[in-house]
Amino acid sequence: MGLEEHLPSGILLTSVEKVAGYARKSSVWPATFGLACCAFELFSAGGPRHDLARFGMERAAATPRQADLMIVAGRVSQKMAPVLRQIYDQMSEPKWVISMGVCASSGGMFNNYAIVQGVDHVVPVDVYLPGCPPRPEALLDSILKLHDKIQNMKLGVNRDKEITELEQASLRRLRLAPGTTA
Ligand code: SF4
């Protein structure tokens, strides 16, 4: 956002975090992006029955620069992986990724050389959605979970601190932190 870096820490920053979190979660725009059969469930979620418009998300951006959510709907081929990464890099910050379906999350039943065995090898994933294919209701549930994450996202120095703590916790878990033995 930019503004948070110039604000003092304390009660004002906490309030800004809440307001920014609310604004961000209420204005998530997905990129137009479908890779395989899961994409049809994604399209269905945008229809009147499931009504993505209730979240203000019915406008799928035709350019990555106007999108901040990538829903990876379907298996990612090795050939598509660099394209997917390029689209992700062109999306505006802050941005989020939902891995929709077992193929996107782990390669699924396509355990072969042509398919990336999990899109988290290519882009960071915020929410993993299981199923083959996940129903639109499951996608809505994953969007609500993402909204929770965005609402509670810290800003500025608090975010840097949170990232450092998470990294340290991961290193400790892998026994790679200083003072732990492998
Ligand atoms: S998870 Fe199932 S529905 Fe989704 S892309 Fe893979 S095979 Fe298709």
Side-chain angles (χ1 to χ4, degrees):
M1 177 170 195
L3 176 65
E4 66 268 19
E5 274 81 19
H6 303 290
L7 291 169
S9 57
I11 189 79
L12 178 61
L13 188 57
T14 304
S15 301
V16 169
E17 277 180 343
K18 282 188 179 154
V19 172
Y22 183 77
R24 283 176 172 169
K25 81 162 191 181
S26 308
S27 59
V28 176
W29 279 356
T32 306
F33 197 63
L35 290 171
C37 13
C38 270
F40 291 94
E41 302 296 326
L42 169 60
F43 302 153
S44 169
R49 180 175 174 130
H50 301 290
D51 191 21
L52 264 185
R54 76 181 86 180
F55 305 125
M57 290 177 62
E58 76 281 16
R59 180 206 178 277
T63 161
R65 289 182 177 82
Q66 293 174 1
D68 53 6
L69 171 63
M70 173 182 275
I71 301 175
V72 183
R75 54 195 169 270
V76 184
S77 66
Q78 298 286 355
K79 199 171 176 182
M80 194 63 183
V83 180
L84 184 143
R85 180 67 209 199
Q86 186 176 11
I87 292 172
Y88 177 81
D89 287 339
Q90 290 177 344
M91 285 165 53
S92 48
E93 292 275 4
K95 51 194 166 190
W96 299 277
V97 176
I98 293 176
S99 174
M100 181 178 180
V102 66
C103 287
S105 299
S106 68
M109 67 289 286
F110 299 99
N111 185 7
N112 61 47
Y113 62 85
I115 300 297
V116 176
Q117 300 297 296
V119 72
D120 50 8
H121 290 286
V122 185
V123 291
V125 173
D126 294 282
V127 180
Y128 293 89
L129 172 55
C132 174
R135 293 274 304 135
E137 294 87 344
L139 179 60
L140 296 188
D141 184 61
S142 72
I143 288 168
L144 289 174
K145 287 191 169 58
L146 182 67
H147 281 179
D148 274 352
K149 187 172 181 174
I150 296 171
Q151 173 73 68
N152 296 313
M153 199 173 126
K154 301 208 178 310
L155 302 178
V157 288
N158 290 348
R159 177 146 181 78
D160 293 343
K161 198 168 146 213
E162 186 183 37
I163 290 170
T164 306
E165 283 170 4
L166 287 172
E167 280 175 350
Q168 289 301 323
S170 298
L171 290 173
R172 275 197 300 278
R173 235 184 353 263
L174 296 168
R175 296 182 185 281
L176 294 173
T180 55
T181 50

Coordinates of all heavy atoms in Angstrom, one line a residue, residues 125-156:
V125 N 1.7 -20.3 -2.6 CA 0.3 -20.6 -2.5 C -0.2 -20.2 -1.1 O 0.4 -20.4 -0.1 CB 0.0 -22.1 -2.8 CG1 -1.4 -22.4 -2.5 CG2 0.4 -22.5 -4.2
D126 N -1.4 -19.5 -1.1 CA -2.0 -19.1 0.2 C -3.0 -20.1 0.7 O -3.1 -20.3 1.9 CB -2.6 -17.7 0.0 CG -1.6 -16.6 -0.3 OD1 -1.0 -16.2 0.7 OD2 -1.5 -16.2 -1.5
V127 N -3.8 -20.6 -0.2 CA -4.8 -21.6 0.2 C -4.8 -22.8 -0.8 O -4.8 -22.6 -2.0 CB -6.3 -20.9 0.2 CG1 -7.3 -21.9 0.6 CG2 -6.3 -19.7 1.1
Y128 N -4.8 -24.0 -0.2 CA -4.9 -25.2 -1.0 C -6.3 -25.7 -0.9 O -6.8 -25.9 0.2 CB -3.9 -26.3 -0.5 CG -2.5 -25.9 -0.6 CD1 -1.8 -25.2 0.4 CD2 -1.8 -26.3 -1.8 CE1 -0.4 -24.9 0.2 CE2 -0.4 -26.0 -1.9 CZ 0.3 -25.3 -0.9 OH 1.6 -25.0 -1.0
L129 N -6.9 -26.0 -2.0 CA -8.3 -26.4 -2.1 C -8.3 -27.9 -2.6 O -8.0 -28.1 -3.8 CB -9.1 -25.5 -3.0 CG -10.5 -25.9 -3.3 CD1 -11.3 -26.1 -2.0 CD2 -11.2 -24.8 -4.1
P130 N -8.6 -28.9 -1.7 CA -8.6 -30.2 -2.2 C -9.8 -30.6 -3.1 O -10.8 -29.8 -3.1 CB -8.6 -31.0 -0.9 CG -9.3 -30.2 0.1 CD -9.0 -28.7 -0.3
G131 N -9.8 -31.7 -3.7 CA -10.9 -32.2 -4.5 C -10.6 -32.4 -6.0 O -9.7 -31.8 -6.5
C132 N -11.4 -33.2 -6.6 CA -11.3 -33.5 -8.0 C -12.6 -33.7 -8.7 O -13.1 -34.8 -8.8 CB -10.4 -34.7 -8.3 SG -10.3 -35.2 -10.0
P133 N -13.2 -32.6 -9.2 CA -12.9 -31.2 -9.0 C -13.5 -30.7 -7.7 O -14.6 -31.3 -7.3 CB -13.5 -30.5 -10.2 CG -14.7 -31.4 -10.5 CD -14.4 -32.8 -10.1
P134 N -13.0 -29.7 -7.1 CA -13.7 -29.1 -6.0 C -15.0 -28.4 -6.5 O -15.0 -27.8 -7.6 CB -12.7 -28.0 -5.5 CG -11.5 -28.2 -6.2 CD -11.8 -29.0 -7.4
R135 N -16.1 -28.6 -5.8 CA -17.3 -27.9 -6.1 C -17.2 -26.4 -5.9 O -16.4 -25.9 -5.2 CB -18.5 -28.5 -5.3 CG -18.8 -29.9 -5.5 CD -19.7 -30.1 -6.7 NE -21.0 -29.4 -6.5 CZ -21.6 -28.6 -7.4 NH1 -21.0 -28.5 -8.6 NH2 -22.7 -28.0 -7.1
P136 N -18.1 -25.6 -6.6 CA -18.0 -24.2 -6.4 C -18.2 -23.8 -4.9 O -17.6 -22.8 -4.5 CB -19.2 -23.7 -7.2 CG -19.4 -24.7 -8.3 CD -19.0 -26.0 -7.7
E137 N -19.0 -24.6 -4.2 CA -19.2 -24.3 -2.7 C -17.8 -24.3 -2.0 O -17.5 -23.6 -1.1 CB -20.2 -25.2 -2.1 CG -21.6 -25.1 -2.6 CD -21.9 -26.0 -3.8 OE1 -20.9 -26.5 -4.5 OE2 -23.0 -26.2 -4.1
A138 N -17.0 -25.3 -2.4 CA -15.7 -25.5 -1.8 C -14.8 -24.3 -2.2 O -14.0 -23.8 -1.3 CB -15.0 -26.8 -2.2
L139 N -14.9 -23.9 -3.4 CA -14.1 -22.7 -3.8 C -14.6 -21.5 -3.0 O -13.7 -20.7 -2.5 CB -14.3 -22.4 -5.3 CG -13.6 -21.2 -5.9 CD1 -12.1 -21.3 -5.7 CD2 -13.9 -21.0 -7.3
L140 N -15.9 -21.3 -2.8 CA -16.3 -20.2 -2.0 C -15.8 -20.3 -0.6 O -15.4 -19.2 0.0 CB -17.9 -20.1 -1.9 CG -18.6 -19.9 -3.2 CD1 -20.1 -19.7 -2.9 CD2 -18.1 -18.7 -4.0
D141 N -15.7 -21.5 0.0 CA -15.1 -21.7 1.3 C -13.6 -21.2 1.3 O -13.2 -20.6 2.3 CB -15.3 -23.1 1.7 CG -14.8 -23.4 3.2 OD1 -15.3 -22.7 4.1 OD2 -13.8 -24.1 3.3
S142 N -12.9 -21.6 0.3 CA -11.5 -21.2 0.2 C -11.3 -19.7 0.1 O -10.4 -19.1 0.6 CB -10.8 -22.0 -0.9 OG -11.1 -21.5 -2.1
I143 N -12.3 -19.1 -0.6 CA -12.2 -17.6 -0.7 C -12.5 -17.0 0.6 O -11.8 -16.0 1.0 CB -13.2 -17.2 -1.8 CG1 -12.7 -17.5 -3.2 CG2 -13.5 -15.6 -1.7 CD1 -13.7 -17.4 -4.3
L144 N -13.4 -17.5 1.4 CA -13.6 -17.0 2.7 C -12.4 -17.1 3.6 O -12.1 -16.2 4.4 CB -14.9 -17.7 3.4 CG -16.2 -17.3 2.7 CD1 -17.3 -18.2 3.3 CD2 -16.5 -15.8 3.0
K145 N -11.7 -18.3 3.5 CA -10.5 -18.5 4.3 C -9.4 -17.5 3.8 O -8.7 -16.9 4.7 CB -10.0 -19.9 4.1 CG -10.8 -20.9 4.8 CD -10.2 -22.3 4.8 CE -10.9 -23.2 5.8 NZ -12.3 -23.4 5.5
L146 N -9.4 -17.2 2.5 CA -8.4 -16.2 2.0 C -8.8 -14.8 2.6 O -7.9 -14.0 3.0 CB -8.4 -16.2 0.5 CG -7.4 -15.2 -0.1 CD1 -6.0 -15.6 0.2 CD2 -7.6 -15.1 -1.6
H147 N -10.1 -14.5 2.6 CA -10.5 -13.2 3.2 C -10.0 -13.1 4.6 O -9.6 -12.0 5.0 CB -12.0 -13.1 3.1 CG -12.6 -12.8 1.8 ND1 -13.9 -12.6 1.5 CD2 -11.9 -12.5 0.6 CE1 -14.1 -12.3 0.2 NE2 -12.9 -12.2 -0.3
D148 N -10.2 -14.1 5.4 CA -9.7 -14.1 6.8 C -8.2 -13.8 6.8 O -7.8 -13.0 7.6 CB -9.9 -15.5 7.5 CG -11.3 -15.6 8.0 OD1 -12.0 -14.6 8.0 OD2 -11.6 -16.7 8.4
K149 N -7.5 -14.4 6.0 CA -6.0 -14.2 5.9 C -5.7 -12.8 5.6 O -4.8 -12.1 6.2 CB -5.4 -15.2 4.9 CG -3.9 -15.2 4.9 CD -3.4 -16.3 4.0 CE -1.8 -16.2 4.0 NZ -1.2 -17.4 3.3
I150 N -6.4 -12.2 4.6 CA -6.1 -10.9 4.1 C -6.5 -9.9 5.2 O -5.8 -8.9 5.5 CB -6.9 -10.6 2.8 CG1 -6.4 -11.4 1.7 CG2 -6.8 -9.1 2.4 CD1 -7.3 -11.4 0.4
Q151 N -7.7 -10.1 5.8 CA -8.2 -9.2 6.9 C -7.1 -9.1 8.0 O -6.9 -8.1 8.6 CB -9.5 -9.7 7.4 CG -10.0 -9.0 8.7 CD -10.6 -7.6 8.3 OE1 -11.6 -7.4 7.7 NE2 -9.9 -6.6 8.8
N152 N -6.5 -10.2 8.4 CA -5.6 -10.3 9.5 C -4.1 -10.1 9.1 O -3.2 -10.3 9.9 CB -5.7 -11.6 10.3 CG -7.1 -11.7 10.9 OD1 -7.6 -10.7 11.5 ND2 -7.8 -12.8 10.7
M153 N -3.9 -9.7 7.8 CA -2.5 -9.5 7.4 C -1.9 -8.2 8.0 O -2.6 -7.2 8.1 CB -2.6 -9.3 5.8 CG -1.3 -9.5 5.1 SD -1.6 -9.4 3.4 CE -0.4 -8.2 2.9
K154 N -0.7 -8.4 8.5 CA -0.1 -7.3 9.2 C 0.6 -6.4 8.1 O 0.9 -6.8 7.0 CB 0.9 -7.8 10.2 CG 0.3 -8.6 11.3 CD 1.1 -8.6 12.5 CE 0.4 -9.4 13.6 NZ -1.0 -9.2 13.8
L155 N 0.9 -5.1 8.5 CA 1.5 -4.2 7.6 C 2.8 -3.7 8.1 O 3.1 -3.7 9.3 CB 0.5 -3.0 7.4 CG -0.9 -3.3 6.8 CD1 -1.7 -2.0 6.7 CD2 -0.8 -4.0 5.5
G156 N 3.6 -3.1 7.2 CA 4.8 -2.4 7.6 C 5.8 -3.2 8.5 O 6.0 -4.4 8.2

